[in-house]
Amino acid sequence: MNQPRHVAIIMDGNGRWAKARRHGRVYGHIRGAKVAKSVIEECARIKVPFLTLFAFSTENWFRPIEEVSFLMHLLQRQLRRERATLMRNNIRFQVIGDVERMPEGVQDIVRETIEVTRSNSGMILTFALSYGGRQEVTMMAQEVARRVAAGDLKASEVDEATVASLLPTSFLPDPDLIIRTSGERRISNFFLWQSAYSEIEFVETPWPDFSTADLHHALARFGLRERRFGRTSEQLRLP
Ligand code: IPE
Ligand code: IPE
Ligand code: MG
């Protein structure tokens, strides 16, 4: 069965999960952080080479200030606490997104976590923080324009490989499988360029209830899919 090289997850549904239990939204985020830990450990255990978690979008900044502050605080605490987990599982930590927009404390712990896990040779775990697909495509366009203006690049030479190499995800293969929890069937500004041929699993389970069994179901369904990349089934069976 085909195993995805790169799994990306849009961890959605924390707020509704908490509300349904008559709790504040932030309670859902606390539970969600615990689920993230277990999914990270399981992916490392089964040797998924790349795992990306969409944790905070460029649009999430528009949420009520109390929720944004809480999320920043939770992220900082969780990264500090789970450093040992990353080391124990030989996980290398990376981030994509406009991290400079995050509070200093978060930026510091992000930098430190990248640094201390730098030599780990197992799974690459990437957190998408203050991340937006449109924002990164816009930044890429600016960089192309700068290089063309400086004479370092010809407009006619800009191809798909150039674009991919100027995106912050250039160190990642495109995601094979994108999982979104909580029943919403949309991309919400995640991996716009990178998801061109991703298989997408929309699962009804809200993120705080997402279990390692749900992860294995999604991986099993992925394994059954035929990825044609525009070709025909017959072509795929040729040697
Ligand atoms: C995902 O859960 C976490 C973040 C986007 C930070 P939500 O907070 O979006 O929860 P719902 O979708 O409102 O239930
Ligand atoms: C997408 O979820 C972003 C993350 C999971 C971090 P949202 O909850 O922000 O997406 P919308 O607003 O429902 O599209
Ligand atoms: Mg949501």
Side-chain angles (χ1 to χ4, degrees):
M1 208 163 67
N2 284 334
Q3 280 276 16
R5 256 185 101 205
H6 181 184
V7 177
I9 308 181
I10 304 174
M11 307 182 290
D12 193 26
N14 294 351
R16 281 165 288 161
W17 178 91
K19 221 176 139 196
R21 283 157 186 77
R22 297 169 190 282
H23 286 289
R25 292 179 54 85
V26 298
Y27 179 62
H29 296 316
I30 295 172
R31 288 293 292 256
K34 294 203 170 82
V35 170
K37 175 187 159 92
S38 74
V39 167
I40 291 166
E41 287 191 287
E42 182 63 5
C43 285
R45 191 184 71 78
I46 63 173
K47 301 203 163 19
V48 170
F50 299 90
L51 173 68
T52 300
L53 298 180
F54 194 12
F56 195 83
S57 75
T58 45
E59 289 71 30
N60 290 149
W61 289 114
F62 299 115
R63 289 193 178 187
I65 177 74
E66 302 76 31
E67 183 171 343
V68 171
S69 305
F70 186 86
L71 281 166
M72 294 301 141
H73 173 78
L74 181 65
L75 193 63
Q76 190 174 338
R77 193 184 69 180
Q78 209 65 15
L79 282 176
R80 191 178 323 109
R81 276 193 187 169
E82 300 304 339
R83 194 178 283 175
T85 309
L86 298 180
M87 296 310 288
R88 192 170 55 244
N89 290 282
N90 193 23
I91 296 168
R92 183 166 175 188
F93 181 79
Q94 291 285 353
V95 287
I96 51 173
D98 190 4
V99 180
E100 268 141 53
R101 217 171 144 184
M102 319 279 282
E104 287 288 345
V106 177
Q107 290 190 44
D108 290 346
I109 194 84
V110 162
R111 247 193 315 269
E112 285 166 32
T113 311
I114 292 172
E115 198 47 48
V116 297
T117 63
R118 189 174 289 283
S119 306
N120 290 348
S121 57
M123 184 172 81
I124 310 272
L125 169 67
T126 305
F127 268 47
L129 300 177
S130 188
Y131 174 87
R134 286 188 170 182
Q135 131 108 358
E136 78 176 357
V137 168
T138 305
M139 300 306 285
M140 178 276 301
Q142 286 186 8
E143 184 57 26
V144 168
R146 255 193 300 275
R147 290 186 187 197
V148 170
D152 298 334
L153 184 67
K154 287 201 186 103
S156 60
E157 285 170 1
V158 177
D159 58 9
E160 291 188 10
T162 317
V163 170
S165 73
L166 293 176
L167 290 172
T169 49
S170 61
F171 67 97
L172 291 169
D174 285 343
D176 302 293
L177 172 63
I178 297 179
I179 300 170
R180 182 174 187 148
T181 59
S182 91
E184 303 298 355
R185 283 161 174 76
R186 55 179 173 254
I187 284 291
S188 300
N189 201 14
F190 189 50
F191 279 173
L192 298 182
W193 166 272
Q194 299 84 345
S195 65
Y197 266 105
S198 302
E199 300 297 330
I200 307 184
E201 280 288 327
F202 293 111
V203 303
E204 298 300 320
T205 314
W207 181 248
D209 283 338
F210 191 78
S211 65
T212 54
D214 294 321
L215 172 71
H216 283 283
H217 283 143
L219 293 173
R221 281 193 296 270
F222 172 86
L224 296 173
R225 293 197 190 192
E226 182 179 63
R227 304 186 75 194
R228 290 188 290 278
F229 299 98
R231 274 80 165 171
T232 67
S233 293
E234 290 70 28
Q235 283 177 300
L236 299 177
R237 291 195 199 99
L238 292 175

